[in-house]
Amino acid sequence: RFHGEGYQEGYAEGSHAGVVEGRRYGSLHGAKIGSEIGCYLGFALTWQCLLQKCTDGKNSKKIRALDLLIGMIQKFPYEDPTYDKLQEDLEKIRGKFKQVCSMLNIQSDFRIGAERSSLTF
């Protein structure tokens, strides 16, 4: 009887601790992904505005790539943590961001850490 009661108490306490830890972990990593995606979107929108002011033809490929990046970010499922292709889509966005940086001849370095979070050019 004591063994069964101890098991039930331990299971309930472990379940509660697991939910708390899972929520904290999800919030932390969700915030990191949100920060990263937000920086990409701000970067893309800024460059889109800058390049649209120039009317020469050599910017059309860059603008198209920026439009694709913005479209990918806007379609990203922020509110669905159960989305099965979340990591796959995130990698596609990162790849498109690197491609855009290459086209713009910009070296980007996005770092997220406990000490700082930055996007440098």
Side-chain angles (χ1 to χ4, degrees):
R1 177 178 145 232
F2 293 117
H3 177 72
E5 288 175 9
Y7 174 81
Q8 291 299 328
E9 288 176 21
Y11 185 82
E13 189 174 324
S15 293
H16 177 70
V19 167
V20 169
E21 183 179 344
R23 188 171 290 138
R24 184 177 47 231
Y25 182 83
S27 295
L28 175 67
H29 288 282
K32 285 181 181 179
I33 290 173
S35 176
E36 180 180 359
I37 296 293
C39 284
Y40 294 159
L41 182 59
F43 171 88
L45 290 171
T46 301
W47 274 101
Q48 185 184 43
C49 287
L50 291 171
L51 291 176
Q52 284 179 347
K53 290 180 181 179
C54 301
T55 56
D56 58 350
K58 47 185 190 170
N59 288 330
S60 64
K61 285 185 183 179
K62 296 172 187 176
I63 291 172
R64 249 192 329 265
L66 285 165
D67 289 341
L68 283 172
L69 177 60
I70 292 168
M72 291 169 74
I73 291 170
Q74 289 173 341
K75 290 177 187 170
F76 191 75
Y78 301 102
E79 306 212 358
D80 184 8
T82 61
Y83 180 62
D84 57 344
K85 293 184 179 182
L86 187 112
Q87 289 297 325
E88 187 179 316
D89 286 355
L90 187 58
E91 288 301 318
K92 287 179 183 177
I93 290 172
R94 287 175 178 149
K96 181 57 77 175
F97 174 73
K98 288 178 184 176
Q99 178 189 16
V100 167
C101 287
S102 176
M103 292 173 84
L104 295 171
N105 200 20
I106 295 172
Q107 288 204 346
S108 67
D109 183 18
F110 186 81
R111 289 183 301 264
I112 295 180
E115 67 281 349
R116 71 183 216 208
S117 147
S118 65
L119 180 64
T120 59
F121 302 98

